Amino acid sequence: MNKEKPKENTLEIYRQFFEDDFITATEVYYTAESTHFIATNSVAEYMKKVETRLDEETRRVQQYLNPTTETELVQKCDRVLIEKHLDTIRSDFQNMLSNDKIEDLTRMYKLLSRINRALDPLKTTFEKHVSQVGKQAIQQVMKTAIKDPQQYVETILKVYKQYNALVIGSFRNDPGFVAALDKACRSFINENAVCKLAKSASKSPELLARFVDSLLKKSAKNPEEQEMEQLLTDVVRVSRLPFSPPFLVVPLRSFPLTLVVWSV
């Protein structure tokens, strides 16, 4: 209580004799605990531990402390538990991508997004990974895909949809990861084994146009077929990717939900 104004509360005593010491003690405790835990456990297990500790500290403030303590306490915990171990945490990102560790990737994004620019290196790694996976997928089918537009486009779509789902789900549609996915797709679509085998930079748009043409002919015979409409919708997704050379995209009167796409 403020002796001069007994009816008014003040936090000065709370801050001077408790809050400062409490936050310092918290930093010391978690510095020791985190250093030991991350040295003796996997990154995945460490992130679970951090998630638990952050939840505990938030509940502790809500139950026992003044609300003004939360901001500084959380910032201190972020610095000690996450920022100090950024290199170690990020070092496992490639492994998680390669092994489709969706839960771990989701948790890593959630934790690192608390630290300014901590996600930037991961976006570069993600772009390179998707590009490599896409090129490998096309490499495996190049001998038949070069003459089979459906196989070629479906191979592209499989890779794109897999990582687009990861961006939307685990990475919360983060603009940086969206851009990284687009760049990766541009890379493996415009420069892959089929294009090299055909010795043509326009092989991708050519195969896409042929695939669309075949779908539209089948749809004209059976326009109510849901499976065919889904394929056409998926092709629209591909057509929005940055191809080289560019595409001319024109809406069809007969198929309002689809597009005709061909190279210019």
Side-chain angles (χ1 to χ4, degrees), residues 240-256:
R240 290 174 180 170
L241 299 177
F243 282 84
S244 177
F247 281 110
L248 177 62
V249 183
V250 181
L252 283 178
R253 294 180 182 178
S254 301
F255 300 91

Side-chain angles (χ1 to χ4, degrees), residues 19-41:
E19 185 179 79
D20 291 344
D21 289 342
F22 174 74
I23 291 176
T24 299
T26 299
E27 179 181 14
V28 172
Y29 178 83
Y30 283 140
T31 295
E33 182 186 67
S34 64
T35 300
H36 173 74
F37 194 91
I38 202 168
T40 55
N41 291 272

